[in-house]
Amino acid sequence: MTVLDDIVAGVREDLARREAALPLAELRARLADVAPALDPMPALAAPGSSVIAEVKRRSPSKGHLADIPDPVVLASAYAAGGAAAISVLTEERRFGGSLADLAAVRAAVDVPVLRKDFTVTDYQIVEARAWGADLVLLIVAALDDDTLRRLHDLARELGMTALVEVHDEAETERAVALGAPLVGVNARDLKTLAIDADVFGRLAPLVPSDRVLVAESGVGGVGDVERYVAEGARAVLVGETLVKDGDPTAAVRAMSGLVAAGGASR
Ligand SMILES: O=P(O)(O)OC[C@@H](O)[C@@H](O)c1c[nH]c2ccccc12
């Protein structure tokens, strides 16, 4: 059993409990009262690097990262620094997140918000929208092709954008075949938790240039952003470095708007 399998098993248990308390039909009925999802693509696709700044308390690989007693304070600091979107972990067992964090952040900022979780069922997509998410994460490694397509279509029907996450060549081909406009390359292998900063440069050439590419995980500072931009990234998704920085606003600002020397590389 990989780490990813183990995490998804826990996610499914928690999900079964929530679904028993609030069946899908009732959850769907709530969507009528939710403000429409924001479109993150203009900001993400704009020239110069964009930052998707993450609210993350802990992780299976690193353990405790930051207390974050009030996610709104952190998210507002990210927004003030020009974050193109804010990612909120909602997985509880391993990452210490919650849907309450998502809703609080959504209510406090006017930039698009990503529900960062291990999405494996339709219920979670509807749930994301009901709690205000503008984007959802779809991890290709956790989904078969039919489920991936169904969840991607459902997210779009609800007005949301999916960040489709890949880690190797085969997953990248599946994301491209899906037509996903927003593709994230995770430097961390969710099956082993190992980081490999060279994965982005290997996979980026496999993705057509009309898709927006996001480099995820292990971004330690401006130097890493510059490298990923030179390799074709439009955006970076940053958690640990930002939650540990004493001045997250300045940190987001410093990583934003960077262009590849000599022009875009793809
Ligand atoms: O904290 P980091 O190394 O900057 O990573 C952020 C983000 O990429 C990471 O949290 C992440 C990327 N894909 C995921 C899937 C599930 C959970 C977490 C993640």
Side-chain angles (χ1 to χ4, degrees):
M1 190 141 154
T2 67
V3 180
L4 180 60
D5 294 332
D6 199 30
I7 295 174
V8 168
V11 164
R12 284 188 187 276
E13 276 179 33
D14 292 345
L15 179 61
R17 218 167 296 126
R18 294 199 303 279
E19 205 167 347
L22 183 67
L24 180 58
E26 286 175 40
L27 185 64
R28 267 193 174 275
R30 295 194 178 186
L31 295 181
D33 303 325
V34 180
L38 302 174
D39 181 2
M41 295 307 279
L44 291 173
S49 59
S50 305
V51 176
I52 304 175
E54 187 156 278
V55 175
K56 182 183 192 182
R57 293 192 180 84
R58 61 174 192 263
S59 71
S61 55
K62 296 289 182 87
H64 176 269
L65 297 171
D67 290 333
I68 316 181
D70 185 354
V72 165
V73 172
L74 182 59
S76 302
Y78 289 158
I86 293 171
S87 166
V88 180
L89 253 313
T90 58
E91 199 280 341
E92 300 187 14
R93 298 185 184 206
R94 309 299 190 100
F95 293 86
S98 68
L99 285 162
D101 284 353
L102 176 74
V105 169
R106 168 66 296 163
V109 300
D110 56 11
V111 296
V113 176
L114 165 70
R115 178 187 185 183
K116 178 70 102 60
D117 210 316
F118 297 79
T119 310
V120 287
T121 68
D122 297 24
Y123 188 91
Q124 290 164 292
I125 301 276
V126 177
E127 188 177 50
R129 189 75 275 276
W131 289 79
D134 306 290
L135 300 104
V136 287
L137 181 73
L138 296 179
I139 301 170
V140 173
L143 300 165
D144 63 52
D145 265 337
D146 287 349
T147 311
L148 177 62
R149 184 165 293 281
R150 199 181 68 243
L151 298 180
H152 193 258
D153 288 351
L154 179 57
R156 204 169 28 197
E157 270 166 43
L158 298 181
M160 293 186 292
T161 304
L163 172 59
V164 178
E165 178 175 301
V166 301
H167 183 71
D168 63 20
E169 281 78 1
E171 291 171 18
T172 305
E173 281 168 22
R174 293 175 59 201
V176 170
L178 181 68
L182 186 60
V183 177
V185 175
N186 195 353
R188 189 179 301 284
D189 184 344
L190 292 174
K191 293 172 180 162
T192 61
L193 299 186
I195 281 266
D196 178 356
D198 295 334
V199 171
F200 186 90
R202 231 180 57 218
L203 302 185
L206 307 179
V207 179
S209 56
D210 61 342
R211 320 295 175 88
V212 170
L213 267 175
V214 184
E216 306 178 7
S217 302
V219 173
V222 167
D224 291 335
V225 181
E226 284 170 341
R227 172 185 168 184
Y228 282 134
V229 167
E231 290 176 345
R234 273 305 170 71
V236 287
L237 201 168
V238 192
E240 178 177 357
T241 300
L242 293 176
V243 300
K244 288 185 166 172
D245 197 298
D247 188 346
T249 298
V252 170
R253 193 174 288 133
M255 292 181 188
S256 301
L258 303 172
V259 292
S265 65
R266 44 167 247 140

